[in-house]
Amino acid sequence: MDTLADLNERIERIEAEQDARHIDNRPTSVGFDFREEQPLLRPVPLDEFDVGLTSTPKVNRSSRVTIRQNHYSVPARFIGRNVRVSLRADEVVVFDRHEIVARHPRLPGRYGYRDLLDHYLEILRAKPGALEGSTGLAAARADGSFTPVHDAFWAAAREAHGRAEGTRALIEVLLLHRRLPSEAVIAGMSAVLEAGSVSPELVAIEARKAHALAGGPPPVVITPPPPAAEEGEEAEDIVSARVISLPDRRPELPPDTRPAPSLAAYGQLLSITSKGSA
């Protein structure tokens, strides 16, 4: 087979042929007998069975692990630490305890590299000059995740703030991809560029708006407290947004129509309490 998808398709055809097969001239087929016996089988375990080969390599100073003489990037915060890697037929999955921190398609052959730009953003924020020639950027351009809109924002930011600070502005925008969909971040960059700005903060605001319009959760807006009234100005005249607390939103409760307890009832209760204490 040329690809894993071709192999899976071939296996499905073989399974269909086997389901239609009859054993020892039995009147029922293999597939029919299996459907009859399937309810009697035990359920599949809830925990996913790891079909890969497990190893615990150490992340080198280039923020990569070496598996079968190929190199795969992991987030830079794991440099110098050991991580758990599952080498599978078609992918390499990197774990920190039970959390997946990186996932790569498995490389064929030897001495190959698979880098993700997102894994190096914290390093590039401190060394912005290394972004232009990085392998992570080349890989992002190749797979289409670094779009012409990113290039346009980067060029405008460098023209406005210089190479270093303009690159840092782009990195702040790239960090937004961790919290928002790529489509929303790209829409935010486009809106800010049309307004003639290269502010990462404005990109974040526009990206959250685009995400909300696409059906995601609305952006969180923290409103300032109302300003204090100046001398000679009534507080009611000040129009300002404020936070509405739960008691303010609670509906008006109906009046209590129960009869009030008499003084004799209170005296009887106090008498019983004093006897119990004695």
Side-chain angles (χ1 to χ4, degrees), residues 138-197:
R141 292 186 191 277
D143 63 24
S145 58
F146 196 89
T147 66
V149 179
H150 290 87
D151 269 320
F153 183 89
W154 191 12
R158 285 185 293 184
E159 183 177 355
H161 303 298
R163 297 183 66 86
E165 292 305 318
T167 301
R168 286 194 177 96
L170 171 69
I171 292 171
E172 294 299 326
V173 171
L174 293 175
L175 288 169
L176 291 174
H177 286 281
R178 298 179 180 179
R179 305 191 300 272
L180 293 168
S182 297
E183 297 79 7
V185 177
I186 293 172
M189 285 189 293
S190 300
V192 170
L193 286 174
E194 290 178 4
S197 174

Side-chain angles (χ1 to χ4, degrees), residues 37-87:
E37 297 172 359
Q38 188 174 13
L40 305 177
L41 300 176
R42 290 184 178 181
V44 176
L46 297 178
D47 295 334
E48 181 182 357
F49 181 76
D50 192 352
V51 297
L53 297 176
T54 300
S55 60
T56 56
K58 188 174 183 179
V59 182
N60 62 22
R61 59 186 299 178
S62 300
S63 193
R64 298 188 183 103
V65 290
T66 302
I67 306 296
R68 296 285 179 91
Q69 298 180 318
N70 285 313
H71 309 281
Y72 303 88
S73 68
V74 298
R77 66 182 183 273
F78 295 105
I79 291 177
R81 292 173 50 184
N82 288 85
V83 292
R84 180 168 59 92
V85 177
S86 176
L87 176 65

